[in-house]
Amino acid sequence: MARQLDEQIVGRYPVGQRLRVLDVGMGQGTQALRLARAGHQVTGLEQDSTMVAAAREALSAEPEGIRERMRIIEGDGRDTGVHFLPGSFDVVLCHGVLMYVEEPDPLLAGLARMLAPGGLLSLLVRNGDALAMRPGLAGDWAGALGAFDTTAYRNRVGLDVRADRLSTLTATLAGIGAPLQAWYGVRVFTDTASDGTEAPADVEALLACEERAGRTDPYRGVAALLHLCGVRG
């Protein structure tokens, strides 16, 4: 997904331009730190205090120049209007968050308002059109049958969450003024790997296959996750 995001940024902004980035639901700050290291001015917004502490600890180990380029705010992603003025950012990330939000449209509208004209909105969501893939590949036929006609599922940590369909999000992005420009699949071949599985010796070949499948039909349509990129009009 990082490669996909970089592709969109490079294709939209001049090389070397320092962008204003907002990472909503940044978790432990993996993407935020990566972009700060690349020279961008990054703000991370996260409501989980444990994740905030982990992100701050990771940031504290970085060189001073990177620490100066990144700030961390503890808060709810639905309250971006409380913290920032409209149009304050060139790039807004919201990765792995929508599945925990029962009504995502107000959150998405708020994210779009944070973008400057021409700004990039990057979403990573659970693919609601492929929920039967994981149980089906695991031989859980009852689970697969039950997944065809729903967007609700139980994740690997046992939480009842929700997925998003590409068609629905495409319509939503158009409605909030950040129409879809590109989309990718994420975890096409590797979704069935158990947590904690070590990377194989040929990890570069694995990544090459995932990257190719993530941009190629019909493979991307059955990916576990979808990476959607909208652009503010």
Side-chain angles (χ1 to χ4, degrees):
M1 189 198 65
R3 296 181 184 185
Q4 297 164 358
L5 179 61
D6 288 347
E7 177 181 82
Q8 291 299 313
I9 289 175
V10 168
R12 192 155 302 280
Y13 296 102
V15 175
Q17 180 175 339
R18 290 194 172 187
L19 303 174
R20 302 164 297 166
V21 179
L22 173 63
D23 189 352
V24 174
M26 70 169 182
Q28 60 188 6
T30 302
Q31 286 296 321
L33 271 172
R34 188 183 71 84
L35 291 169
R37 292 181 189 123
H40 303 301
Q41 193 73 36
V42 182
T43 299
L45 183 64
E46 172 60 55
Q47 66 175 347
D48 187 301
S49 58
T50 301
M51 290 293 186
V52 168
R56 285 179 172 153
E57 182 178 359
L59 181 61
S60 69
E62 296 290 328
E64 181 180 358
I66 295 174
R67 294 199 307 270
E68 291 175 348
R69 287 198 295 271
M70 181 170 165
R71 61 172 174 159
I72 297 170
I73 298 174
E74 188 168 346
D76 194 314
R78 290 167 290 194
D79 296 332
T80 49
V82 174
H83 300 286
F84 316 109
L85 293 173
S88 295
F89 298 95
D90 304 301
V91 178
V92 173
L93 314 180
C94 187
H95 296 165
V97 174
L98 290 194
M99 56 275 290
Y100 300 104
V101 180
E102 187 173 349
E103 296 292 339
D105 287 6
L107 168 62
L108 290 171
L111 299 184
R113 283 194 292 271
M114 295 300 103
L115 286 168
L120 177 67
L121 175 60
S122 173
L123 305 174
L124 184 70
V125 304
R126 181 71 171 163
N127 184 4
D129 293 319
L131 286 183
M133 291 297 293
R134 183 185 291 174
L137 290 173
D140 176 7
W141 308 121
L145 283 171
F148 280 110
D149 300 314
T150 183
T151 55
Y153 71 101
R154 178 163 292 181
N155 66 15
R156 287 179 170 175
V157 297
L159 296 177
D160 291 320
V161 288
R162 48 171 295 281
D164 289 282
R165 299 189 187 277
L166 177 62
S167 58
T168 303
L169 279 179
T170 298
T172 299
L173 290 173
I176 61 176
L180 183 68
Q181 297 295 305
W183 69 278
Y184 308 86
V186 176
R187 291 203 334 232
V188 177
F189 301 124
T190 57
D191 187 52
T192 56
S194 59
D195 294 338
T197 300
E198 292 187 7
D202 57 348
V203 65
E204 287 302 322
L206 181 155
L207 291 173
C209 287
E210 282 284 350
E211 186 174 10
R212 177 74 177 270
R215 63 179 69 245
T216 305
D217 291 322
Y219 305 102
R220 63 177 181 166
V222 296
L225 302 168
L226 297 178
H227 179 198
L228 289 80
C229 298
V231 174
R232 181 72 172 172

